[in-house]
Amino acid sequence: MYQVAVLLSGSGSNLQALLDAEAAGALGAEVVLVVSDRADASGLQRALARQVAAAYVPLPATPRGADRAAVRAAWERRLADVVAAFAPDLVLLAGFMRILSPAFLDRFPNRVINQHPALLPDDGGDTYVTSTGLVIPALRGAHVVAEALERGLPITGCSIHRVTPRVDDGPVLARAEVPVLPGDTPETLHERIKVEEHRLIVEVVRSLAQEHACAEREVQRR
Ligand code: GRF
């Protein structure tokens, strides 16, 4: 069975969508581990409620004068050790609010994907062309839902992409457009984006699991 580790910092509604699909026999994959950098992330409780291993790996406070980069790299190595102990086929960043460097990413080459609540282009560029031909900015960073509203965009959405050391970049696996409605607040807009994210993440994990199974069969046939 294709095995997935999920890293998160918050509520974990996307994790829940995966767990529900798995329980319904509709995922073709198994969530084997949930890791958080926050002890109060309710995603950890969602994992425990389904008997899925859950780990809290805090980023230590950096003492004055300490080498921040060294502390950070040691934390990423520790995080990678925890994840690697479960040997997952896929590492999903589902609302994980830390940027991961090659210290982590190189341990899981081509296996880390991220959910981003805005539309990202295929070419890593600064604009995205919507299905109706509208050119909008590609929003990156931690506040893109509010930014879509501030910039008065008529449309935004969500993307799932492979993770590279460049933030909110890397090949896009799937995306969905979501219209911005009059009177939207960051909260109402994010809720509607999440509805699409929940559908999309199940589709992406299912299709990666199928690809993996096909590749395994191919290897066995040789
Ligand atoms: C999602 O909108 C995801 O795109 C972003 O963080 C949010 C996580 O939501 N990176 P949840 O914790 O799964 O509810």
Side-chain angles (χ1 to χ4, degrees):
M1 185 67 104
Y2 190 73
Q3 302 203 319
V4 184
V6 179
L7 272 57
L8 49 76
S9 302
S11 103
S13 68
N14 282 285
L15 166 69
Q16 192 65 52
L18 290 175
L19 294 172
D20 291 348
E22 184 185 335
L27 191 62
E30 185 187 0
V31 178
V32 292
L33 172 69
V34 173
V35 186
S36 184
D37 60 318
R38 293 187 56 123
D40 60 355
S42 41
L44 290 173
Q45 298 306 322
R46 294 181 194 263
L48 295 174
R50 293 285 173 93
Q51 277 90 48
V52 173
Y56 164 47
V57 184
L59 174 62
T62 323
R64 210 179 263 280
D67 182 346
R68 282 189 91 76
V71 171
R72 180 102 207 182
W75 171 73
E76 286 195 53
R77 280 198 297 275
R78 205 155 45 241
L79 189 66
D81 288 344
V82 171
V83 174
F86 285 76
D89 299 296
L90 183 73
V91 179
L92 165 65
L93 310 182
F96 188 64
M97 300 309 285
R98 306 278 182 187
I99 292 168
L100 294 170
S101 78
F104 180 93
L105 298 175
D106 287 353
R107 299 274 295 273
F108 309 97
N110 213 28
R111 283 182 188 205
V112 186
I113 65 172
N114 180 49
Q115 291 185 274
H116 182 67
L119 294 164
L120 296 172
D122 285 324
D123 61 2
D126 292 335
T127 55
Y128 173 80
V129 184
T130 69
S131 56
T132 56
L134 204 66
V135 180
I136 58 170
L139 305 180
R140 296 188 172 87
H143 308 287
V144 293
V145 178
E147 205 183 332
L149 285 172
E150 281 156 19
R151 290 182 178 232
L153 301 187
I155 196 159
T156 183
C158 52
S159 309
I160 299 175
H161 64 95
R162 291 197 184 275
V163 176
T164 66
R166 283 178 48 145
V167 177
D168 298 334
D169 206 356
V172 175
L173 299 172
R175 58 173 86 77
E177 296 182 357
V178 175
V180 178
L181 301 180
D184 255 340
T185 63
E187 291 72 31
T188 59
L189 181 56
H190 204 169
E191 277 314 307
R192 286 206 317 289
I193 291 172
K194 282 194 184 188
V195 171
E196 293 301 313
E197 290 193 296
H198 298 163
R199 179 182 61 77
L200 220 54
I201 193 57
V202 169
E203 278 177 24
V204 165
V205 170
R206 193 192 303 132
S207 93
L208 290 173
Q210 278 166 359
E211 272 171 33
H212 181 80
C214 286
E216 296 262 282
R217 276 198 297 275
E218 194 55 40
V219 168
Q220 277 160 15
R221 222 177 285 141
R222 281 189 199 144

